[in-house]
């Protein structure tokens, strides 16, 4: 367990062919390794049954687990949605990998967390394509932060391929576009950005299959008005599924996601085999007055969702937990979803950095208990054993893989 993860620590990832002309990446299924981080987290656990159990698995051989889902690859240390990030996640045993899907000006599907994130995830502001940005770079002044907005929908696929991925960050105090490229969180790194390669959705399918993983694409909400030059929302939802069908990927290996319930219902009606595993991402937390502990505030009738054919629902992890008597317990939201026989997938572990300060947004419901990094494993254990989730997205999948292997998930 304590030997290093070669790809993460030494950049010994297999070579991947990914040409500008659209050649598919091809790699072999990688050897698996946990690296050092799971042991580091186990060491921080308080003495007790969980620590004893996880320590007992230290010598186990890593196995790929569908419980472990790579969230944009392994973006704790790698630029998200890159070839390198996903190879690292696969080496950590992630059984399912994610491509967040958006579209270019010529309606080609690419892996980006948002249609309008190029200013923070690529070098576009320091490239010749800066002039395509919807909001040009504006320097910080006095109390006004630096701003910019750059969209894939303003670029052709050919132009998109010329951009260089970087860690998702921006220095809001910057007075130049070059300085705006900084702002990386101190607990992340830029060590693995050199030569990082972005992907189209079709290329992600080829890569993930070669890595031995399954697929969870997320259809991202467009920031442009739809239809976009005749490209409708239904066209968009259908094209994503069609790329799996063209590649010969069976529907049982795909968990298509969307925050838009209409997308999920579209797949259920028009692509029923894919619709069986379509994942509705619950964004109830965005609505004022929502309280995951109070059923009166719930936005969705879980039984009605189930009756419409929705089988999977995915909230952020904090919505699934409450604190009672100083202990973590399943929230009222989690209990209601399980009572309706919905399968639950949750996000995102290892995205909060060091947890001594309460863990931020992802740990908000258990912040009073969160005082060191051991809480990553304690929350994971509560989600798996008490809530009964079917999978966990993570920015560093080794942590979830180790836990899943040890617990037989």
């Amino acid at each position: 367990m304590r030997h290093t993860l070669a790809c993460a620590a030494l950049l010994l990832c297999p070579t991947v062919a990914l040409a500008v002309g659209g050649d598919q990446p091809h790699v072999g299924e990688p050897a698996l390794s946990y690296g050092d981080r799971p042991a580091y987290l186990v060491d921080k656990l308080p003495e007790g049954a969980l620590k004893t159990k996880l320590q007992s698995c230290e010598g186990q051989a890593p196995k790929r687990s569908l419980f472990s889902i790579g969230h944009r690859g392994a973006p704790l240390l790698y630029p998200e949605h890159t070839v390198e990030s996903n190879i690292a996640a696969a080496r950590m045993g992630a059984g399912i990998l994610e491509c967040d899907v958006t579209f270019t000006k010529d309606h080609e599907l690419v892996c980006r967390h948002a249609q309008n994130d190029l200013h923070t995830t690529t070098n576009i502001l320091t490239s010749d394509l800066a002039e395509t940005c919807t909001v040009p770079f504006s320097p910080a002044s006095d109390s006004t932060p630096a701003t910019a907005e750059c969209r894939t929908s303003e670029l052709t696929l050919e132009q998109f391929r010329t951009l260089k991925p970087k860690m998702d960050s921006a220095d809001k105090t910057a007075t130049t576009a070059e300085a705006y490229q900084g702002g990386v969180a101190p607990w992340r790194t830029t060590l693995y950005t050199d030569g990082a390669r972005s992907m189209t959705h079709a290329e992600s399918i080829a890569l993930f299959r070669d890595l031995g993983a399954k697929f969870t694409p997320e259809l991202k909400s467009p920031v442009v008005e739809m239809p976009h030059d005749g490209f409708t929302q239904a066209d968009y939802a259908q094209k994503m599924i069609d790329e799996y069908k063209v590649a010969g990927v069976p529907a049982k290996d795909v968990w298509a996601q969307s925050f838009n319930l209409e997308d999920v219902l579209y797949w259920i009606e028009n692509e029923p085999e894919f619709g069986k595993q379509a994942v509705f991402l619950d964004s109830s937390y965005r609505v004022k007055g929502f309280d995951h502990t109070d059923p009166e505030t719930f936005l969705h009738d879980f039984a009605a969702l189930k009756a419409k054919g929705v089988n999977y629902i995915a909230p952020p992890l904090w919505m699934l937990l409450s604190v009672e008597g100083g202990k973590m317990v399943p929230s009222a939201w989690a209990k209601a979803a399980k009572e309706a026989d919905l399968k639950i997938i949750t996000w995102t572990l290892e995205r909060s950095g060091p947890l001594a300060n309460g863990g931020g947004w992802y740990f908000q419901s258990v912040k009073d208990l969160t005082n060191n990094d051991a809480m990553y494993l304690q929350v994971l254990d509560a989600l798996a054993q008490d809530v009964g989730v079917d999978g966990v997205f993570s920015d560093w999948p080794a942590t979830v893989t180790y836990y899943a292997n040890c617990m037989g998930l």
Side-chain angles (χ1 to χ4, degrees):
M1 173 177 169
R2 295 179 184 270
H3 56 286
T4 57
L5 176 62
C7 184
L10 301 175
L11 282 184
L12 297 180
C13 296
T15 300
V16 181
L18 185 58
V20 169
D23 293 340
Q24 298 296 310
H26 293 288
V27 299
E29 188 168 338
L32 304 186
S33 171
Y34 296 126
D36 291 339
R37 184 157 176 81
Y40 168 81
L41 297 177
V42 171
D43 288 346
K44 285 184 171 294
L45 283 168
E47 297 302 322
L50 179 60
K51 184 171 187 174
T52 299
K53 173 62 177 177
L54 293 178
Q55 284 180 327
S56 74
C57 298
E58 187 165 341
Q60 68 185 355
K63 297 186 295 183
R64 193 170 308 287
S65 172
L66 296 180
F67 189 80
S68 179
I69 306 171
H71 180 242
R72 315 178 209 173
L76 181 65
L77 297 182
Y78 287 82
E80 64 185 42
H81 288 313
T82 59
V83 171
E84 291 73 17
S85 185
N86 282 287
I87 290 176
R91 283 181 178 265
M92 295 183 221
I96 303 173
L97 297 174
E98 179 186 42
C99 169
D100 288 329
V101 178
T102 189
F103 58 83
T104 59
K105 186 175 184 179
D106 44 355
H107 301 148
E108 295 298 326
L109 304 186
V110 295
C111 298
R112 285 290 95 197
H113 180 243
Q115 194 170 57
N116 60 339
D117 73 357
L118 295 180
H119 52 290
T120 64
T121 61
T122 75
N123 70 328
I124 189 169
L125 289 176
T126 59
S127 77
D128 293 339
L129 293 172
E131 63 186 21
T132 69
C133 293
T134 307
V135 178
F137 173 74
S138 177
S141 61
D142 298 327
S143 60
T144 303
T147 57
E149 182 183 341
C150 308
R151 302 175 176 179
T152 60
S153 52
E154 296 299 318
L155 305 179
T156 65
L157 177 58
E158 183 179 2
Q159 290 173 316
F160 172 79
R161 288 188 183 280
T162 68
L163 299 176
K164 296 179 180 179
K166 71 179 191 69
M167 292 299 283
D168 185 8
S169 65
D171 183 348
K172 297 297 182 67
T173 68
T175 57
T176 67
E178 289 74 16
Y180 191 78
Q181 306 300 294
V184 177
W187 37 270
R188 296 186 185 273
T189 183
T190 59
L191 283 175
Y192 307 124
T193 59
D194 184 41
R197 292 156 288 179
S198 58
M199 298 180 290
T200 66
H201 176 237
E203 288 165 350
S204 78
I205 294 172
L207 176 65
F208 298 174
R209 179 162 53 188
D210 285 351
L211 291 171
K214 300 185 189 298
F215 316 84
T216 186
E218 181 189 336
L219 197 74
K220 302 303 294 190
S221 298
V223 296
V224 295
E225 186 176 349
M226 299 294 277
H228 179 261
D229 292 338
F231 190 57
T232 68
Q233 185 69 23
D235 293 337
Y236 180 31
Q238 186 62 52
K239 184 167 185 172
M240 190 181 85
I241 298 301
D242 284 346
E243 293 196 343
Y244 289 94
K245 295 167 72 174
V246 168
V249 175
K252 65 180 178 61
D253 290 346
V254 181
W255 287 262
Q257 314 169 66
S258 181
F259 278 102
N260 182 359
L261 180 58
E262 294 306 311
D263 293 335
V264 174
L265 297 178
Y266 173 88
W267 294 322
I268 290 170
E269 180 178 355
N270 296 280
E271 292 288 350
E273 290 305 306
F274 286 88
K276 290 177 183 176
Q277 293 189 161
V279 182
F280 175 43
L281 297 162
D282 188 358
S283 59
S284 296
Y285 55 85
R286 296 175 180 168
V287 177
K288 185 177 180 179
F290 170 77
D291 182 346
H292 71 300
T293 69
D294 182 1
E296 295 295 322
T297 70
F298 296 173
L299 274 66
H300 303 292
D301 181 331
F302 297 128
L305 287 177
K306 182 71 176 181
K308 291 179 180 179
V310 177
N311 292 315
Y312 285 85
I313 194 165
L317 61 86
W318 66 263
M319 279 176 52
L320 298 172
L321 297 171
S322 299
V323 175
E324 294 180 6
K327 295 183 179 180
M328 285 183 288
V329 296
S331 68
W333 190 101
K335 293 175 182 177
K338 294 296 286 187
E339 287 171 3
D341 196 30
L342 290 173
K343 295 182 179 180
I344 300 173
I345 296 172
T346 192
W347 40 278
T348 304
L349 208 70
E350 297 278 28
R351 194 159 181 82
S352 300
L355 298 181
N357 62 356
W361 191 83
Y362 289 92
F363 284 72
Q364 60 186 278
S365 63
V366 295
K367 64 181 180 180
D368 292 341
L369 305 181
T370 309
N371 55 20
N372 70 67
D373 288 354
M375 184 55 70
Y376 278 122
L377 291 173
Q378 292 166 312
V379 163
L380 185 57
D381 189 54
L383 293 170
Q385 306 303 328
D386 301 327
V387 176
V389 301
D390 285 82
V392 177
F393 282 90
S394 178
D395 277 13
W396 199 249
T399 302
V400 180
T401 304
Y402 181 84
Y403 177 89
N405 286 176
C406 188
M407 298 297 184
L409 300 177

